[in-house]
Each structure stands twice: as C-alpha cells, then as structure tokens.
Amino acid sequence: MDQIILLANLAQRDWPKRAVSACACGLGGRHTLPIRLPPGGRGGLEIADSSATRGRSLVSCFHVTLSGMGRGGGLRSLSARTTTQASPGKKRPGRRPLDGGGAPGRSVVRAPPTAAFLRWAPETLRPELEPTRAGAAAARVPARAGGPHTVPSPHSVFPFLLVLVDLQYEGAECGVNADVEKHLELGKKLLAAGQLADALSQFHAAVDGDPDNYIAYYRRATVFLAMGKSKAALPDLTKVIELKMDFTAARLQRGHLLLKQGKLDEAEDDFKKVLKSNPSENEEKEAQSQLTKSDEMQRLRSQALDAFESGDYITAIAFLDKILEVCVWDAELRELRAECFIKEGEPRKAISDLKAASKLKNDNTEAFYKISILYYQLGDHELSLSEVRECLKLDQDHKRCFAHYKQVKKLNKLIESAEELIRDGRYTDATSKYESVMKTEPSIVEYTVRSKERICHCFSKDEKPVEAIRVCSEVLQMEPDNVNALKDRAEAYLIEEMYDEAIQDYETAQEHNENDQQIREGLEKAQRLLKQSQKRDYYKILGVKRNAKKQEIIKAYRKLALQWHPDNFQNEEEKKKAEKKFIDIAAAKEVLSDPEMRKKFDDGEDPLDAESQQGGGGNPFHRSWNSWQGFNPFSSGGPFRFKFHFN
C-alpha cells in the first residue's frame, strides 16, 4: 500500500526573517512529493534539502505519515523533532530514504505527539491523538487489514496538512528548543555564581528564542530583582502569570513589587488569588501576612490624606513616614510628603523626596521644576540651573520651567563673572557685579547675604578695611555664624591694628570650623601682633598704616628724623628723649624699608628684637646715639657722610 511522508518546516514565532532550513531528522531530498488525495484532489510539497542549511540552526519539524485510501488507510503517526545543527556534506546514520524505507503497506512509526502538539492540533484530531499519546505501545501496533480503524480519513486530515505547510503559522509549538534550554541552564549557573549581567544576557536569548517560555521570563525577572531593577522585573512577572495562571510564586512576587509601588488594590488582588490557588504552607503564610500589611497601609494612607487636607502637616508626615517604610517606591506619596516639608520650612528634606519621585515616575517634569525652585530659594543657583535643564529635556515647551530657566541663567552668569574677576584680583569690578546680583534678585534674602559676603571679601583683599568692616558686620547681623565674613572682618581689623577685635573674630570662626588652617594661622598672627604692639610698633613710630607703600614710609621717616634730631634740643633731658625717639625712628625706617624684614614684622616677629630672634644674639641695630652721629636722614642708605649742625 502506498504511503506519503510529509515534511513541513515551521516558522518560529517572532522569527526575524525566514532562513533556509532543513529537516532535523534527515529525511531530506530537494524534490516535490505528490500527495495522494481523494478523486479530484491534487497537491504537492517541496522539501528543503538538509545540505542547503550550510551549518545554520534547524527549525523543528513535524512528520505526518499517511496511507492510501485502501485498507489500513489514514493517519498513522505524527511526531515533533527538536532543533539540531546541520552538518554540510555529511549524512546521518539511520536515515530512511524518502521514497519509503519501510515494508510495503506499513507506516513509518514515530514517537507519540507531544503535549505542545496536542494544544494546537485541530479539534477533530485530538480524540485520535490522545490514545497515541497515552500509550506508545498501542501506537507501535500496525493496523491489520480489515481491522477497526480509529484514525480519520484524508478528508479530515487535509485541512491539518495545510496548517503544517504554512510557514507563517505562529501558533505552532515544536517541543523544547535545545538552544533555549542551553541558555536557561547556563543562565541559571551564572545567576548562582553571582554573575548577574552575564546571566541576564542568557535569559534575554532564551526569551528571544522562545517567547512563550514562562520559565525564561521568570528567571529573567529574578535577575532584574537581584540587580535592583524592579521596573524591568514587573512586566516579566506579569508575562509569566499570563502564560501560566497557576504560578503562585510569580504572582506572590508581583504582589510584593506592587505593594512597594503603593499599588495597594492590585497587590491585594494578587495576594487573594494566591490564597485561592491551593498554595504551599509558606506561600499561604506569606500571602496572608502581606495582605494584612496592605490593609494597614490603606488605613494609614487615608489618615495621612485627611491630616494634609486639614493643614496638620506634622501629623501627615508621621503617617507618611510609616507608609513609605513599606511602599518605598510610591512616587505620589513622596511628592505629598515633600509638600508637607515645604509647608513646614524644611526645603532640603523636600528636595530629597522630590528627587526620589523624579526617578520613580517617568517624565516627572513637575518634580524637576519644584527641585529647581527650592535650590534657587536656598541660594544654590548652579544646582537650580541643572535641575531646570532636566525639566526642559523632558518637555522643551514647559512654560514655567522655561521662564525659571531664563531667570536662573541670568543670575548664574552674573555670579560666574564676579567670581572670575575675584580670581583675577579685580576686586572693584567684582564688587560692582555682586551689587548687580542683589538688584536682579531682591526678593530672595539668600542672594543678598551671599552677595554682601563676597563684597566684604573684596574690600578686605583690596585693603579697604573700613568698608570691609562695615559690610562684613551687616552680613554677621543676618548670619552671626558666617565663618567667611568672620575671617574677612578679622583681616580688616588687622589692617586697622585692632588686634583684640581680630582675635575675637578668629576665635569665633574657629568654634564653627576648628580644622580651617587659614583661621588657625590668622589667629596666631593676630596674637603675635597684639604682643608686638605692646612693645614697639614701627608703623606707629612712623605714623603710617600697615599697608603703606615704601615711598610713604621714606617720606614719614625724613619728616620725623628732622623733627627729632637731638641737635635740635639744648636741654639735657629733652636731648636724651630726642635721642631715644630718633633711634626708634631710624630702626623703623630700616625694618619697614626692607621687604624681608618688613614681612617678618608683619607676621608678628620683630627682626630687631633679640628675644624674637632664633638662637639669640645681640641686636646690630640697637645702638647708642653716638653710632647714629653723622647719619643722613635724606639718604636711602650707604655709608654715613656728614652730620647736620643746627644753630
């Protein structure tokens, strides 16, 4: 009796493009087979030769063995083969020739159909296939001539054959794909070894290879959770539940994620379904516990909203704190708590919640706008500009963000320009810029304080002590603990020789920042200068400021030297007093006109004082009046040439 073996290559779901493929079992041969059909029927099937694959992966295949219309005719067996790799030019052992390698009148016996095959097989075939699946022994018994038949005729099989031939049929399941199994197994090992990124790549490949494999989705979700990517894990868990409704582990895990996101109703629905699905003892206990927790969160949320509406923000914050310990990924509750913090005057805590909300909710322009406003009000113009730019990246036409962006950018440009001028030592121009900053944003006190703080710094560095003391004092009235203003005012006090005041400012600054080296050095200098002033101050002797130029020092010296020259005095007592005064004037001129000696004196060390000199030794400049005889006060140095005689 004639038999026909049909070979159908089935297209995998989401296959990127149809590739040349061949029969996995080796029943190849590039030719068209005639299909014997009832009278009037014609047909044929082209079968791809296995050599045409050139080493490419093979798709799964089905074999259908039919008999003719005579005795024993009908469907004999169907089977599914797994994917294998073709080897060009090699023949597999044990292949049957296409034109019938079995005994005449006998069907080629294959394995019974798989469960996957039965799911998509036409309804008319399922009763015939179930016995074959139930008992392989019964399938192996050939039909006897004239015996009873339980298989359909070719009339009922023909529509099924058309389905097999259709290469675009997406509902076909061809058993377990070997490549998918390989990816799953390797991914499992990598996951156990903690190599999450590599494991994720394997599970990606498994999902691409078999989009209906719920295990692949579940394992990929597990990796996402291990990597802290709950947003990516949630769709995979949902897909698992769609593919396998009774997978309680996936439903329980999804309930956990929904609870953390604050989606309490959806989470409760998952926990209730777990309890109704005959769970294990541990699953039942966990689901019941989470369901109770979800009910508690519902109650707390209602109380928090009532407190917020009534203006009791402290109570609302207390309730929201408890909820967010469980619903950590709830963006709306974090935004609500941020509003409470703003109302209570705690902007930095509000910024923390809003930053979390901007990450938890996609395209959250409102959160970025509020963060930018809060930073701006705190005086942090750079961070404000950065956050408002994030808002405009999401929506370049956002009206409030764009208007705020222009204001912040203008202010930021003025401040950056002023700081650059300070770095260049152009303190007068920098002062002018900061005055413009105060005019640009007069409504926010923070910018007024910061601008005056920098103006105080400019006056101090520009050696304008009177102006520096005035502006720094204004800053310290608004912020008594402003360390920068304290340091700059102390420097100005030193220029004004107000050493006690300078020491007090440095000590106050050190209380707030004890590790600041500049404060420590400034305090030591002020203490030395105070001690020095109690002995002999060369600046006071000449009557010049500490920031006096060399020309001013020479001019003052000449004037005083003529005034206090001993020859001008006849009275012996007055003459001795003038001699001492003249020696001090000459010593002051020597110290202050020499850059190195002047620097030592400015640092609190008297270069002419034997006690302050390391290693001791005498003072070469502390001479008697006789040693100054013949000194020319109008000379800039050099040997003594003559002395003055006064009538």
Side-chain angles (χ1 to χ4, degrees):
M1 187 175 298
D2 294 333
Q3 62 179 1
I4 301 173
I5 300 176
L6 301 180
L7 169 66
N9 292 313
L10 300 177
Q12 301 275 338
R13 180 173 298 175
D14 299 329
W15 200 267
K17 59 183 179 179
R18 192 178 306 172
V20 178
S21 55
C23 174
C25 68
L27 295 176
R30 185 117 183 134
H31 60 274
T32 301
L33 290 178
I35 302 177
R36 291 194 181 183
L37 300 172
R42 294 188 303 171
L45 177 66
E46 185 179 271
I47 300 176
D49 191 352
S50 60
S51 63
T53 64
R54 296 191 180 94
R56 301 178 189 175
S57 296
L58 301 171
V59 298
S60 300
C61 62
F62 276 95
H63 299 280
V64 182
T65 304
L66 294 178
S67 299
M69 292 302 295
R71 294 179 63 185
L75 178 65
R76 283 300 184 187
S77 68
L78 297 95
S79 65
R81 294 281 182 157
T82 58
T83 301
T84 59
Q85 185 76 14
S87 300
K90 294 184 179 181
K91 293 185 177 181
R92 296 171 180 262
R95 291 183 180 175
R96 293 182 181 273
L98 188 64
D99 55 351
R106 298 286 295 261
S107 65
V108 179
V109 179
R110 304 291 182 192
T114 63
F117 174 79
L118 292 176
R119 282 201 297 273
W120 64 266
E123 294 292 338
T124 56
L125 288 180
R126 291 190 186 182
E128 308 299 337
L129 296 174
E130 288 294 349
T132 307
R133 173 175 170 79
R140 293 190 180 93
V141 179
R144 290 176 297 186
H149 300 285
T150 59
V151 296
S153 67
H155 292 282
S156 62
V157 174
F158 181 65
F160 175 54
L161 300 181
L162 295 180
V163 174
L164 292 177
V165 175
D166 185 6
L167 298 178
Q168 300 302 318
Y169 184 72
E170 294 186 352
E173 294 186 67
C174 306
V176 181
N177 188 308
D179 287 340
V180 172
E181 282 295 319
K182 180 180 177 182
H183 289 307
L184 288 174
E185 187 62 27
L186 184 55
K188 183 179 179 181
K189 292 179 180 178
L190 291 169
L191 178 59
Q195 301 179 32
L196 301 181
D198 294 334
L200 185 61
S201 298
Q202 295 298 323
F203 293 139
H204 279 322
V207 169
D208 292 340
D210 187 358
D212 291 334
N213 192 319
Y214 71 92
I215 293 295
Y217 286 104
Y218 185 71
R219 290 184 181 172
R220 187 170 70 173
T222 303
V223 177
F224 279 137
L225 290 173
M227 299 174 75
K229 299 180 179 180
S230 61
K231 285 185 178 180
L234 194 58
D236 275 0
L237 291 172
T238 300
K239 185 67 175 179
V240 172
I241 295 169
E242 290 177 2
L243 294 172
K244 190 171 178 59
M245 298 289 290
D246 59 346
F247 199 158
T248 56
R251 193 178 291 278
L252 190 59
Q253 188 62 58
R254 187 176 70 170
H256 279 291
L257 296 181
L258 292 172
L259 182 61
K260 288 185 177 182
Q261 291 182 348
K263 299 178 180 178
L264 302 180
D265 293 334
E266 297 178 42
E268 287 182 5
D269 183 62
D270 271 347
F271 296 138
K272 289 177 180 178
K273 287 182 178 179
V274 169
L275 293 173
K276 293 178 182 178
S277 63
N278 192 25
S280 66
E281 183 179 350
N282 289 336
E283 289 175 338
E284 182 179 4
K285 183 178 179 181
E286 181 67 18
Q288 189 62 55
S289 172
Q290 294 300 313
L291 189 59
T292 303
K293 188 180 291 184
S294 180
D295 290 338
E296 177 68 10
M297 294 304 105
Q298 292 275 27
R299 182 181 64 80
L300 289 173
R301 173 181 280 183
S302 178
Q303 292 176 328
L305 291 173
D306 290 341
F308 180 81
E309 292 296 331
S310 63
D312 188 357
Y313 303 115
I314 295 178
T315 303
I317 290 171
F319 285 132
L320 290 169
D321 287 343
K322 293 180 180 179
I323 300 172
L324 288 169
E325 288 177 2
V326 177
C327 306
V328 292
W329 300 331
D330 192 326
E332 293 180 359
L333 290 182
R334 288 193 177 275
E335 290 175 345
L336 182 63
R337 189 169 68 173
E339 285 296 321
C340 294
F341 283 135
I342 292 172
K343 297 291 185 181
E344 288 298 311
E346 298 186 73
R348 295 198 179 277
K349 290 184 178 180
I351 288 172
S352 178
D353 270 344
L354 288 170
K355 282 190 172 183
S358 68
K359 296 177 182 178
L360 293 169
K361 186 189 294 185
N362 294 331
D363 300 333
N364 197 345
T365 55
E366 190 66 22
F368 285 115
Y369 173 72
K370 289 181 179 179
I371 294 170
S372 180
I373 290 292
L374 290 172
Y375 274 133
Y376 188 75
Q377 292 172 347
L378 289 170
D380 199 331
H381 57 95
E382 292 178 340
L383 286 176
S384 178
L385 186 61
S386 174
E387 295 296 331
V388 77
R389 280 173 175 163
E390 292 298 322
C391 175
L392 292 174
K393 285 180 184 178
L394 297 174
D395 182 6
Q396 60 183 357
D397 297 325
H398 196 288
K399 291 183 179 179
R400 289 185 298 166
C401 282
F402 185 70
H404 182 60
Y405 169 75
K406 291 194 294 183
Q407 175 70 8
V408 180
K409 189 176 181 181
K410 179 180 179 181
L411 192 73
N412 187 68
K413 187 176 180 179
L414 281 172
I415 294 173
E416 286 183 346
S417 177
E419 288 300 312
E420 186 175 353
L421 290 170
I422 290 176
R423 287 191 293 270
D424 294 340
R426 299 166 59 185
Y427 299 113
T428 302
D429 294 337
T431 299
S432 177
K433 287 289 183 182
Y434 271 114
E435 288 173 349
S436 298
V437 170
M438 290 190 287
K439 293 177 182 177
T440 301
E441 190 51 84
S443 60
I444 298 179
V445 178
E446 190 67 27
Y447 289 104
T448 300
V449 175
R450 297 285 81 79
S451 296
K452 286 189 174 183
E453 177 188 313
R454 299 305 285 164
I455 291 172
C456 156
H457 177 75
C458 290
F459 282 143
S460 179
K461 291 295 181 183
D462 204 23
E463 296 185 343
K464 296 179 179 179
V466 176
E467 293 87 345
I469 292 170
R470 175 179 58 81
V471 178
C472 290
S473 297
E474 291 177 3
V475 175
L476 290 168
Q477 286 178 355
M478 294 181 282
E479 291 184 351
D481 301 332
N482 190 311
V483 174
N484 291 327
L486 286 168
K487 289 193 296 184
D488 288 326
R489 190 172 71 172
E491 289 289 334
Y493 279 142
L494 290 179
I495 297 174
E496 286 292 290
E497 301 176 5
M498 301 169 68
Y499 305 121
D500 290 324
E501 290 83 352
I503 290 172
Q504 184 178 354
D505 275 356
Y506 277 127
E507 287 177 343
T508 304
Q510 194 172 46
E511 290 175 2
H512 300 289
N513 191 353
E514 58 184 13
N515 296 322
D516 192 317
Q517 185 177 356
Q518 185 181 0
I519 294 175
R520 186 166 55 252
E521 291 176 353
L523 179 59
E524 292 173 356
K525 178 180 177 179
Q527 291 170 340
R528 287 196 305 268
L529 290 173
L530 177 62
K531 183 179 178 181
Q532 183 186 85
S533 68
Q534 295 169 350
K535 294 181 179 179
R536 180 170 52 178
D537 189 335
Y538 295 125
Y539 290 105
K540 286 184 177 180
I541 291 172
L542 294 181
V544 295
K545 295 288 186 181
R546 297 189 73 89
N547 58 349
K549 306 296 183 185
K550 186 175 181 179
Q551 293 81 356
E552 296 178 55
I553 292 170
I554 298 298
K555 181 179 179 181
Y557 164 73
R558 288 173 177 172
K559 179 180 178 181
L560 291 171
L562 287 174
Q563 179 183 346
W564 290 96
H565 197 285
D567 289 348
N568 294 338
F569 301 91
Q570 301 301 320
N571 184 281
E572 199 63 34
E573 289 294 329
E574 291 180 352
K575 196 177 187 71
K576 288 182 179 180
K577 182 180 178 182
E579 287 178 0
K580 184 178 182 304
K581 189 75 173 176
F582 189 83
I583 291 172
D584 288 341
I585 292 169
K589 184 261 182 184
E590 289 295 322
V591 171
L592 298 183
S593 61
D594 183 278
E596 185 177 348
M597 295 176 71
R598 183 179 181 180
K599 184 178 184 305
K600 287 183 178 181
F601 184 76
D602 287 343
D603 290 338
E605 177 185 345
D606 189 348
L608 303 183
D609 187 357
E611 294 181 2
S612 65
Q613 297 297 308
Q614 294 183 0
N619 185 354
F621 292 97
H622 284 186
R623 310 174 221 174
S624 65
W625 160 243
N626 293 330
S627 65
W628 296 100
Q629 294 272 350
F631 178 67
N632 180 6
F634 297 96
S635 171
S636 60
F640 299 158
R641 296 194 180 97
F642 58 88
K643 71 175 183 178
F644 289 100
H645 297 279
F646 298 93
N647 294 325

